[in-house]
Amino acid sequence: MTITADTKLESLPEWDSLAALGVIVMFDLEYGKTITGEHLAKAVTIQDLHQLLG
């Protein structure tokens, strides 16, 4: 599977609540950016995640 900016998160077999929690932690630790589950719930694609980084 090729992953692009337009790839829908829910189409990824690895995407589940644990992966979402990992993204929240990664944003905080790696990028110093705080996001919530609400932010993540609005993210549909990989591009949406990228935009959360600002």
Side-chain angles (χ1 to χ4, degrees), residues 2-13:
T2 302
I3 297 174
T4 67
D6 295 326
T7 299
K8 293 189 184 286
L9 297 171
E10 56 187 43
S11 74
L12 301 171

Side-chain angles (χ1 to χ4, degrees), residues 1 7 11-13 18 20-21 23 30 33 37 39 42 44:
M1 170 183 237
T7 299
S11 74
L12 301 171
L18 189 56
L21 182 58
V23 168
E30 298 293 324
K33 177 83 175 177
H39 292 119
K42 294 177 183 176
V44 176

Side-chain angles (χ1 to χ4, degrees), residues 24-42:
I24 291 171
V25 171
M26 179 190 66
F27 270 49
D28 184 37
L29 295 177
E30 298 293 324
Y31 302 104
K33 177 83 175 177
T34 301
I35 62 169
T36 65
E38 188 175 307
H39 292 119
L40 211 47
K42 294 177 183 176

